[in-house]
Amino acid sequence: GADLIKADLQSPETLVDSLKGVKYIIDASTSRLSDLDALEKVDLKGKLNLISLAKKAKIKNYIFYSFLDIEKYSFIPLIDAKIKIEKEL
């Protein structure tokens, strides 16, 4: 089974406790394409916070939703953020 854990990617302090006892992360979080401010806060900085904390917590697997040939679409801000996250993973 799986448990849904609610936390705010924009508030790293909410993430720390939510990662206790976690073995796997399935990250399907995203912001709206039209909200560039949220894109920076959630899809880039928020996910980088989550990845950093997951590494510290020794989470075994981090599943990140993306797609093939992503580099072809790097001109789209959301896709550019995904490319940066993939590099961090």
Side-chain angles (χ1 to χ4, degrees):
D3 294 317
L4 181 63
I5 297 173
K6 186 175 180 177
D8 185 349
L9 291 175
Q10 296 179 65
S11 301
E13 65 277 2
T14 67
L15 299 172
V16 175
D17 285 340
S18 67
L19 295 179
K20 290 180 180 171
V22 171
K23 294 180 183 175
Y24 308 96
I25 293 175
I26 301 173
D27 179 1
S29 61
T30 194
S31 56
R32 296 176 190 257
L33 286 172
S34 60
D35 190 346
L36 294 179
D37 185 49
L39 190 148
E40 177 76 16
K41 290 178 182 174
V42 174
D43 289 281
L44 187 57
K45 291 180 182 175
K47 289 178 184 279
L48 289 174
N49 286 334
L50 180 58
I51 291 166
S52 175
L53 291 169
K55 288 177 180 178
K56 289 178 185 172
K58 299 185 183 349
I59 306 283
K60 293 183 178 193
N61 289 305
Y62 189 106
I63 300 167
F64 176 64
Y65 282 89
S66 191
F67 55 92
L68 294 173
D69 298 324
I70 193 168
E71 294 81 13
K72 292 180 182 178
Y73 306 99
S74 63
F75 60 91
I76 301 169
L78 176 62
I79 304 308
D80 187 53
K82 284 186 173 288
I83 291 168
K84 291 174 182 170
I85 295 301
E86 286 182 1
K87 289 179 181 174
E88 182 64 25
L89 290 171

